[in-house]
Amino acid sequence: MNPTHPVTAPTAAGQLPAVPLTIEGYACLHQMMRFRWTAWRALDEPKRHQISAEAAKLLAEMEANSGGQSALFSLLGHKGDLMLVHFRDGFDELNQAELTLARLQLSEYLEPATSYLSVIELGLYESTLKTYKSLAERGIEPHSEEWNAAIRETIARQEEAMKPRLFPAMPKHRYICFYPMDRKRGEHKNWYTLPMEERQRQMNEHGLVGRRYAGDVKQIITGSIGFDDWEWGVDLFADDPIVFKKLIYEMRFDEVSAVYALFGTFYIGLRCPANRLHELLEGNLPQHAEG
Ligand code: 76R
């Protein structure tokens, strides 16, 4: 028995490590901003134009960035006016994107409302379970050299196969829904004390529900344990916002959400391409057109 994981039930194959393997892709920053409309409107039109043109030029470059794209969204409601979503190769590039934006004249009219830092994460419950079990069956001790080598091999194979999902282009859909979430660590219901097999079963069911929406919604899960105040960030992209409601409602009945999910604040935004920024800042909703 492994005394460091006493809560994980032993299996026929012996004690399995509790942590599922994950693979990570782009670093991801969400910046929710308030726009200082009053100060902005006090500027004359040519000045507003000059400032928004400068910002649009930078945003256009960021939208096309080869090491991870950015996108701007106009937020609905009081939680913020604008949301920038940045995907980058790493935290350095992410921080540079923040600093470059802060140099814009437009930034004098932007006030951070909140932000969220995470990395694109694929949880590999299925292949983790297969790998852990086959290693246990071969009598290979967890965390031994041989075990570590086999795990590294599994991770490398998955990283290669999943590259497009770890380093995605920014989805082009009209609407975004972003919210952070946790898995419950309560006195009676605690996700982290469930055996690996049980978590794998529930995650598999979760995936089956999700997959039925695959054509209507694009989902990007980011992990934020150690980076921000919640454990995961969920980004959903769709051309019809009702799909968010239907998908999330249906998932509430799914065991892993019904019993173990805790949700943070929801943000809903409309995509604003760089070349529509001036329209948006003049108070006109940009039509959905790319390019
Ligand atoms: O990535 C995959 O497609 C594999 C299956 C899968 C995993 C591992 C998957 C599929 N998700 C995974 C992980 Mn998900 N997901 C959410 C939410 O509202 C709620 O109840 C929860 C918020 C939604 C709406 C959603 C949608 N998923 C995760 C994780 C990490 C948990 C962990 O590792 O312990 C969280 C927190 C989470 C939450 N999920 C899908 C979807 C959809 C639509 C799919 C199918 C995607 C597709 O097949 O294209």
Side-chain angles (χ1 to χ4, degrees):
M1 293 293 281
N2 180 347
T4 60
H5 299 298
V7 290
T8 300
T11 66
Q15 185 85 23
L16 302 180
V19 192
L21 302 174
T22 59
I23 48 178
E24 284 75 24
Y26 279 141
C28 187
L29 180 68
H30 290 67
Q31 293 182 290
M32 292 70 161
M33 311 277 206
R34 292 189 195 293
F35 193 61
R36 297 173 56 212
W37 286 109
T38 309
W40 178 248
R41 283 197 204 99
L43 299 173
D44 57 28
E45 211 282 330
K47 187 65 187 166
R48 291 201 303 270
H49 207 281
Q50 189 258 324
I51 292 175
S52 63
E54 183 203 38
K57 183 170 175 286
L58 175 64
L59 184 58
E61 285 166 20
M62 288 187 165
E63 282 179 348
N65 188 44
S66 59
Q69 300 173 332
S70 298
L72 176 70
F73 298 87
S74 172
L75 289 177
L76 281 97
H78 74 285
K79 294 168 189 166
D81 296 304
L82 300 174
M83 180 166 75
L84 282 153
V85 181
H86 308 287
F87 294 161
R88 290 296 183 278
D89 284 328
F91 280 8
D92 296 41
E93 292 83 352
L94 220 43
N95 200 196
Q96 185 61 64
E98 257 185 299
L99 292 167
T100 307
L101 279 162
R103 286 205 302 255
L104 288 174
Q105 296 171 80
L106 187 67
S107 75
E108 283 182 35
Y109 302 89
L110 292 172
E111 282 167 11
T114 185
S115 67
Y116 204 80
L117 179 65
S118 51
V119 296
I120 293 184
E121 175 191 291
L122 291 177
L124 303 175
Y125 267 106
E126 209 174 308
S127 58
T128 301
L129 194 60
K130 271 190 210 146
T131 307
Y132 286 1
K133 278 193 167 164
S134 97
L135 289 171
E137 277 158 17
R138 287 157 55 201
I140 297 170
E141 187 66 22
H143 312 298
S144 65
E145 225 167 88
E146 203 180 348
W147 195 87
N148 288 341
I151 296 299
R152 273 199 301 274
E153 198 268 324
T154 302
I155 297 243
R157 195 160 26 83
Q158 293 284 349
E159 278 175 343
E160 191 52 38
M162 298 296 188
K163 230 173 214 166
R165 294 191 49 196
L166 294 175
F167 300 97
M170 186 67 66
K172 287 190 186 304
H173 302 74
R174 174 74 159 167
Y175 301 98
I176 188 170
C177 170
F178 169 76
Y179 53 99
M181 58 178 293
D182 282 345
R183 292 281 184 238
K184 200 172 282 177
R185 285 184 290 132
E187 234 174 285
H188 301 294
K189 294 290 176 188
N190 186 335
W191 175 250
Y192 295 90
T193 59
L194 288 182
M196 164 71 79
E197 284 93 334
E198 178 56 20
R199 280 176 284 134
Q200 190 275 333
R201 184 189 69 76
Q202 292 193 27
M203 285 308 296
N204 184 50
E205 277 182 13
H206 164 84
L208 293 177
V209 175
R211 230 160 286 155
R212 283 194 281 103
Y213 289 83
D216 297 327
V217 66
K218 166 95 182 130
Q219 140 263 26
I220 295 180
I221 300 298
T222 58
S224 46
I225 292 181
F227 299 146
D228 218 317
D229 300 343
W230 296 76
E231 295 171 343
W232 285 278
V234 179
D235 280 283
L236 305 173
F237 300 84
D239 289 320
D240 175 1
I242 299 301
V243 171
F244 300 144
K245 179 176 177 295
K246 290 205 185 295
L247 166 62
I248 295 167
Y249 189 31
E250 183 168 352
M251 281 194 171
R252 293 284 155 110
F253 294 94
D254 198 51
E255 195 171 356
V256 71
S257 294
V259 182
Y260 297 103
L262 297 170
F263 298 94
T265 303
F266 283 67
Y267 296 87
I268 301 288
L270 286 89
R271 179 74 188 262
C272 177
N275 61 2
R276 308 288 164 142
L277 179 64
H278 186 65
E279 264 171 82
L280 180 68
L281 298 182
E282 290 302 301
N284 298 310
L285 188 65
Q287 292 308 302
H288 190 46
E290 287 293 326

